[in-house]
Coordinates of all heavy atoms in Angstrom, one line a residue:
M25 N 166.9 -59.1 3.9 CA 165.8 -58.1 3.4 C 166.2 -56.7 3.8 O 166.5 -56.4 4.9 CB 164.5 -58.6 4.1 CG 163.4 -57.8 3.7 SD 161.9 -58.5 4.4 CE 160.7 -57.6 3.4
K26 N 166.0 -55.8 2.9 CA 166.4 -54.4 3.0 C 165.2 -53.7 3.7 O 164.1 -54.2 3.6 CB 166.7 -53.7 1.8 CG 165.6 -53.7 0.7 CD 166.0 -52.9 -0.5 CE 164.9 -53.0 -1.5 NZ 164.3 -51.7 -1.7
A27 N 165.5 -52.6 4.4 CA 164.4 -51.9 5.1 C 163.4 -51.2 4.1 O 164.0 -50.7 3.0 CB 165.0 -50.9 6.0
P28 N 162.2 -51.1 4.3 CA 161.3 -50.4 3.4 C 161.7 -48.9 3.3 O 162.0 -48.3 4.3 CB 160.0 -50.7 3.8 CG 160.1 -51.0 5.3 CD 161.4 -51.6 5.4
E29 N 161.5 -48.4 2.1 CA 161.8 -47.0 1.9 C 160.6 -46.1 2.0 O 160.8 -44.9 2.0 CB 162.5 -46.8 0.6 CG 163.9 -47.5 0.5 CD 164.6 -47.3 -0.8 OE1 164.1 -46.5 -1.7 OE2 165.7 -47.9 -1.0
S30 N 159.4 -46.6 1.9 CA 158.2 -45.8 2.0 C 157.1 -46.5 2.7 O 157.3 -47.7 3.1 CB 157.8 -45.5 0.5 OG 157.2 -46.8 0.0
I31 N 156.2 -45.8 3.1 CA 155.1 -46.3 3.9 C 154.3 -47.4 3.1 O 153.9 -48.4 3.7 CB 154.0 -45.2 4.3 CG1 154.7 -44.1 5.1 CG2 152.8 -45.8 5.0 CD1 155.0 -44.6 6.5
E32 N 154.2 -47.2 1.8 CA 153.5 -48.2 0.9 C 154.2 -49.6 0.9 O 153.6 -50.6 1.0 CB 153.3 -47.6 -0.5 CG 152.4 -46.5 -0.6 CD 153.0 -45.2 -0.3 OE1 154.2 -45.1 -0.1 OE2 152.2 -44.2 0.0
E33 N 155.5 -49.5 0.9 CA 156.3 -50.8 0.9 C 156.1 -51.5 2.2 O 156.0 -52.7 2.3 CB 157.8 -50.5 0.7 CG 158.1 -50.0 -0.8 CD 159.6 -49.8 -0.9 OE1 160.3 -50.1 0.0 OE2 159.9 -49.3 -2.0
E34 N 156.2 -50.7 3.3 CA 156.0 -51.3 4.6 C 154.6 -51.9 4.9 O 154.4 -53.0 5.4 CB 156.2 -50.2 5.7 CG 156.3 -50.8 7.1 CD 156.9 -49.8 8.1 OE1 157.4 -48.7 7.8 OE2 156.8 -50.1 9.3
L35 N 153.6 -51.2 4.3 CA 152.2 -51.7 4.4 C 152.1 -53.1 3.6 O 151.3 -53.9 4.0 CB 151.2 -50.7 4.0 CG 151.0 -49.4 4.9 CD1 150.1 -48.4 4.3 CD2 150.4 -50.0 6.2
A36 N 152.8 -53.0 2.4 CA 152.7 -54.3 1.6 C 153.4 -55.4 2.3 O 152.9 -56.5 2.3 CB 153.4 -54.0 0.3
I37 N 154.4 -55.2 3.0 CA 155.1 -56.2 3.8 C 154.2 -56.7 5.0 O 154.1 -57.9 5.1 CB 156.5 -55.7 4.3 CG1 157.5 -55.5 3.2 CG2 157.0 -56.7 5.4 CD1 158.7 -54.8 3.6
I38 N 153.6 -55.8 5.6 CA 152.7 -56.2 6.7 C 151.5 -57.0 6.1 O 151.1 -58.0 6.7 CB 152.2 -55.0 7.5 CG1 153.3 -54.3 8.3 CG2 151.0 -55.3 8.4 CD1 153.1 -53.0 8.9
A39 N 151.0 -56.6 5.0 CA 149.9 -57.3 4.4 C 150.2 -58.7 4.0 O 149.6 -59.7 4.1 CB 149.3 -56.6 3.2
E40 N 151.5 -58.9 3.4 CA 152.0 -60.2 3.0 C 152.1 -61.1 4.3 O 151.8 -62.3 4.2 CB 153.4 -60.1 2.3 CG 153.3 -59.5 0.9 CD 154.6 -59.3 0.4 OE1 155.7 -59.8 0.9 OE2 154.8 -58.6 -0.7
A41 N 152.6 -60.5 5.4 CA 152.8 -61.3 6.7 C 151.4 -61.8 7.2 O 151.2 -62.9 7.6 CB 153.4 -60.4 7.7
I42 N 150.4 -60.9 7.1 CA 149.0 -61.2 7.5 C 148.5 -62.3 6.7 O 147.9 -63.3 7.1 CB 148.1 -60.0 7.6 CG1 148.7 -59.0 8.8 CG2 146.7 -60.4 7.8 CD1 147.9 -57.7 8.8
D43 N 148.7 -62.3 5.3 CA 148.2 -63.3 4.4 C 148.9 -64.6 4.7 O 148.3 -65.6 4.4 CB 148.5 -62.8 2.9 CG 147.5 -61.7 2.6 OD1 146.5 -61.4 3.3 OD2 147.9 -61.0 1.6
A44 N 150.2 -64.6 5.1 CA 150.9 -65.8 5.3 C 150.5 -66.4 6.8 O 151.0 -67.5 7.0 CB 152.4 -65.5 5.2
G45 N 149.7 -65.7 7.5 CA 149.3 -66.2 8.8 C 150.3 -65.8 9.9 O 150.2 -66.4 11.0
I46 N 151.1 -64.8 9.7 CA 152.1 -64.4 10.7 C 151.5 -63.1 11.4 O 151.0 -62.2 10.6 CB 153.5 -64.0 10.0 CG1 154.0 -65.3 9.4 CG2 154.3 -63.4 11.1 CD1 155.2 -65.0 8.6
D47 N 151.5 -63.1 12.7 CA 151.0 -61.8 13.3 C 152.1 -60.9 13.5 O 153.0 -61.1 14.2 CB 150.4 -62.3 14.7 CG 149.8 -61.1 15.5 OD1 149.6 -60.0 14.8 OD2 149.4 -61.3 16.6
P48 N 152.1 -59.8 12.8 CA 153.2 -58.8 12.8 C 153.3 -58.0 14.2 O 154.3 -57.4 14.5 CB 153.0 -57.9 11.6 CG 151.5 -58.0 11.3 CD 151.1 -59.3 11.7
F49 N 152.2 -58.0 14.9 CA 152.1 -57.3 16.2 C 151.6 -58.2 17.3 O 150.4 -58.0 17.6 CB 151.2 -56.1 16.1 CG 151.7 -55.1 14.9 CD1 150.9 -55.1 13.8 CD2 152.7 -54.3 15.0 CE1 151.2 -54.3 12.7 CE2 153.1 -53.5 13.9 CZ 152.3 -53.5 12.8
P50 N 152.4 -59.2 17.7 CA 151.9 -60.1 18.8 C 151.6 -59.3 20.1 O 152.3 -58.3 20.3 CB 153.0 -61.1 18.9 CG 154.3 -60.3 18.5 CD 153.8 -59.4 17.4
P51 N 150.7 -59.9 20.9 CA 150.5 -59.2 22.1 C 151.6 -59.4 23.1 O 152.4 -60.4 23.1 CB 149.2 -60.0 22.7 CG 149.2 -61.4 22.0 CD 149.8 -61.0 20.7
K52 N 151.8 -58.4 24.0 CA 153.0 -58.5 24.9 C 152.7 -59.5 25.9 O 151.5 -59.7 26.4 CB 153.1 -57.2 25.6 CG 153.7 -56.1 24.7 CD 154.1 -54.8 25.5 CE 154.7 -53.8 24.5 NZ 155.0 -52.6 25.2
K53 N 153.7 -60.2 26.3 CA 153.6 -61.3 27.4 C 153.6 -60.6 28.8 O 154.3 -59.7 29.0 CB 154.8 -62.3 27.3 CG 154.8 -63.1 26.0 CD 155.9 -64.1 26.0 CE 156.0 -64.8 24.7 NZ 157.1 -65.7 24.7
E54 N 152.8 -61.2 29.6 CA 152.7 -60.7 31.0 C 154.0 -61.1 31.7 O 154.4 -62.3 31.7 CB 151.5 -61.2 31.7 CG 150.2 -60.7 31.2 CD 150.0 -59.2 31.4 OE1 150.4 -58.7 32.4 OE2 149.4 -58.6 30.6
P55 N 154.7 -60.2 32.4 CA 155.8 -60.6 33.2 C 155.4 -61.5 34.3 O 154.4 -61.3 35.0 CB 156.3 -59.3 33.7 CG 155.3 -58.3 33.7 CD 154.3 -58.8 32.5
T56 N 156.2 -62.5 34.6 CA 155.9 -63.5 35.7 C 156.7 -63.2 37.0 O 156.3 -63.6 38.0 CB 156.4 -64.9 35.1 OG1 157.8 -64.9 34.9 CG2 155.6 -65.4 33.9
G57 N 157.8 -62.5 36.9 CA 158.4 -62.0 38.1 C 159.6 -63.0 38.4 O 160.4 -62.7 39.3
W58 N 159.7 -64.1 37.7 CA 160.8 -65.1 38.1 C 162.1 -64.5 37.7 O 163.0 -64.7 38.4 CB 160.5 -66.4 37.2 CG 159.5 -67.3 38.0 CD1 158.2 -67.5 37.5 CD2 159.6 -68.1 39.0 NE1 157.6 -68.3 38.4 CE2 158.5 -68.7 39.3 CE3 160.7 -68.3 39.9 CZ2 158.3 -69.6 40.4 CZ3 160.5 -69.2 41.0 CH2 159.3 -69.8 41.2
A59 N 162.1 -63.8 36.6 CA 163.4 -63.2 36.0 C 163.9 -62.2 37.0 O 165.1 -62.2 37.4 CB 163.2 -62.6 34.7
K60 N 163.0 -61.4 37.6 CA 163.4 -60.4 38.5 C 163.9 -61.0 39.8 O 164.9 -60.6 40.5 CB 162.3 -59.4 38.8 CG 162.1 -58.4 37.8 CD 161.1 -57.4 38.3 CE 160.8 -56.3 37.3 NZ 159.8 -55.3 37.7
A61 N 163.3 -62.1 40.3 CA 163.6 -62.7 41.5 C 165.0 -63.4 41.4 O 165.8 -63.3 42.2 CB 162.6 -63.8 41.9
A62 N 165.2 -64.1 40.1 CA 166.4 -64.8 39.9 C 167.6 -63.8 39.8 O 168.7 -64.0 40.4 CB 166.4 -65.6 38.7
L63 N 167.4 -62.7 39.1 CA 168.4 -61.7 39.0 C 168.7 -61.1 40.4 O 169.9 -60.9 40.7 CB 168.0 -60.6 38.1 CG 169.0 -59.5 37.8 CD1 170.3 -60.1 37.2 CD2 168.4 -58.5 36.9
G64 N 167.7 -60.8 41.2 CA 167.9 -60.3 42.6 C 168.8 -61.2 43.4 O 169.7 -60.8 44.0
W65 N 168.5 -62.5 43.4 CA 169.2 -63.4 44.2 C 170.6 -63.6 43.7 O 171.6 -63.7 44.5 CB 168.6 -64.8 44.2 CG 167.4 -64.8 45.2 CD1 166.1 -64.9 45.0 CD2 167.6 -64.8 46.7 NE1 165.4 -64.9 46.2 CE2 166.2 -64.8 47.2 CE3 168.7 -64.7 47.5 CZ2 166.0 -64.8 48.6 CZ3 168.4 -64.7 48.9 CH2 167.2 -64.7 49.4
F66 N 170.8 -63.6 42.3 CA 172.2 -63.6 41.8 C 173.0 -62.5 42.3 O 174.1 -62.6 42.7 CB 172.0 -63.7 40.2 CG 173.4 -63.6 39.6 CD1 174.2 -64.8 39.6 CD2 173.8 -62.4 39.0 CE1 175.5 -64.8 39.0 CE2 175.0 -62.4 38.4 CZ 175.9 -63.6 38.3
M67 N 172.4 -61.2 42.3 CA 173.0 -60.0 42.7 C 173.4 -60.2 44.2 O 174.5 -59.7 44.7 CB 172.2 -58.8 42.5 CG 172.0 -58.5 40.9 SD 173.6 -58.2 40.1 CE 174.0 -56.6 40.8
V68 N 172.5 -60.7 45.0 CA 172.8 -60.8 46.4 C 174.0 -61.8 46.7 O 174.9 -61.5 47.5 CB 171.5 -61.3 47.2 CG1 171.9 -61.8 48.6 CG2 170.4 -60.3 47.2
I69 N 174.0 -62.9 45.9 CA 175.1 -63.9 46.1 C 176.4 -63.2 45.6 O 177.5 -63.3 46.3 CB 174.8 -65.1 45.2 CG1 173.6 -65.9 45.9 CG2 176.0 -66.0 45.1 CD1 173.0 -66.9 45.1
I70 N 176.4 -62.5 44.5 CA 177.7 -61.9 44.1 C 178.1 -60.8 45.1 O 179.3 -60.7 45.4 CB 177.4 -61.1 42.7 CG1 177.1 -62.2 41.6 CG2 178.6 -60.2 42.3 CD1 178.3 -63.1 41.4
M71 N 177.2 -60.1 45.7 CA 177.6 -59.0 46.6 C 178.2 -59.7 47.9 O 179.2 -59.2 48.5 CB 176.4 -58.1 47.0 CG 175.9 -57.3 45.9 SD 177.1 -56.0 45.4 CE 176.3 -54.7 46.1
V72 N 177.5 -60.7 48.4 CA 178.1 -61.5 49.5 C 179.4 -62.0 49.3 O 180.3 -62.0 50.1 CB 177.1 -62.6 50.0 CG1 177.7 -63.5 51.0 CG2 175.9 -61.9 50.6
S73 N 179.7 -62.6 48.1 CA 180.9 -63.1 47.6 C 182.0 -62.0 47.7 O 183.1 -62.2 48.2 CB 180.8 -63.7 46.2 OG 182.0 -64.1 45.8
W74 N 181.7 -60.8 47.1 CA 182.7 -59.7 47.0 C 183.0 -59.2 48.5 O 184.1 -59.0 48.8 CB 182.2 -58.6 46.2 CG 182.1 -58.8 44.7 CD1 182.8 -59.7 44.1 CD2 181.4 -58.0 43.8 NE1 182.5 -59.6 42.7 CE2 181.7 -58.7 42.5 CE3 180.6 -56.9 43.9 CZ2 181.1 -58.1 41.4 CZ3 180.0 -56.4 42.7 CH2 180.3 -57.0 41.5
V75 N 181.9 -59.1 49.3 CA 182.2 -58.6 50.7 C 183.1 -59.6 51.5 O 184.0 -59.2 52.2 CB 180.9 -58.3 51.4 CG1 181.0 -58.1 52.9 CG2 180.2 -57.1 50.8
S76 N 182.8 -60.9 51.3 CA 183.5 -61.9 52.0 C 185.0 -61.9 51.5 O 185.9 -62.1 52.4 CB 183.0 -63.3 51.9 OG 182.9 -63.7 50.5
Q77 N 185.2 -61.7 50.2 CA 186.6 -61.6 49.7 C 187.3 -60.4 50.3 O 188.5 -60.6 50.7 CB 186.6 -61.5 48.2 CG 186.2 -62.8 47.5 CD 186.3 -62.7 46.0 OE1 186.6 -61.7 45.5 NE2 186.0 -63.8 45.3
L78 N 186.7 -59.3 50.4 CA 187.3 -58.1 51.0 C 187.6 -58.3 52.4 O 188.7 -57.9 52.9 CB 186.3 -56.9 50.8 CG 186.3 -56.4 49.4 CD1 185.2 -55.2 49.3 CD2 187.6 -55.8 48.9
L79 N 186.7 -58.9 53.2 CA 186.9 -59.1 54.6 C 188.1 -60.1 54.8 O 188.9 -60.0 55.7 CB 185.7 -59.7 55.3 CG 184.5 -58.6 55.5 CD1 183.3 -59.3 56.0 CD2 185.0 -57.5 56.3
Y80 N 188.1 -61.1 54.0 CA 189.2 -62.1 54.1 C 190.6 -61.6 53.8 O 191.6 -61.8 54.5 CB 189.0 -63.3 53.1 CG 190.0 -64.4 53.2 CD1 190.0 -65.3 54.3 CD2 190.9 -64.5 52.1 CE1 190.9 -66.3 54.3 CE2 191.9 -65.6 52.2 CZ 191.9 -66.4 53.4 OH 192.8 -67.4 53.3
R81 N 190.6 -60.6 52.8 CA 191.9 -60.0 52.4 C 192.3 -58.9 53.5 O 193.5 -58.7 53.7 CB 191.8 -59.3 51.1 CG 191.8 -60.2 49.9 CD 191.6 -59.6 48.6 NE 191.4 -60.5 47.5 CZ 191.1 -60.2 46.3 NH1 190.9 -58.9 46.0 NH2 191.0 -61.1 45.4
S82 N 191.3 -58.4 54.2 CA 191.7 -57.4 55.2 C 192.2 -58.0 56.5 O 192.7 -57.3 57.4 CB 190.5 -56.5 55.5 OG 189.5 -57.2 56.1
L83 N 192.0 -59.3 56.7 CA 192.4 -59.9 58.0 C 193.8 -60.4 57.9 O 194.5 -60.6 57.2 CB 191.6 -61.2 58.3 CG 190.1 -60.9 58.6 CD1 189.3 -62.2 58.8 CD2 190.0 -60.1 59.9

């Protein structure tokens, strides 16, 4: 599908979506924090791994 060239075309597409039962502007999901915690622990493990490799090579 090509991008609309005018406001009227865009409004027509939005109206078609609403008529079809599709919400073109869904509400934002609340962040749960699991992703940040998982990413944080992954970064900690990677950093510990790198430091241990550097210490092992320096001995």
Side-chain angles (χ1 to χ4, degrees):
M25 182 173 190
K26 64 180 179 108
E29 295 180 5
S30 67
I31 300 286
E32 290 80 15
E33 289 179 9
E34 191 167 350
L35 290 174
I37 292 170
I38 292 172
E40 288 175 16
I42 291 172
D43 290 341
I46 300 170
D47 185 8
F49 307 106
K52 289 187 177 181
K53 294 181 181 178
E54 292 293 324
T56 59
W58 283 102
K60 281 186 179 180
L63 182 60
W65 279 108
F66 176 74
M67 294 296 290
V68 167
I69 291 169
I70 293 295
M71 295 292 257
V72 168
S73 173
W74 287 345
V75 169
S76 65
Q77 284 179 5
L78 288 173
L79 289 174
Y80 181 74
R81 288 180 184 170
S82 67
L83 293 176

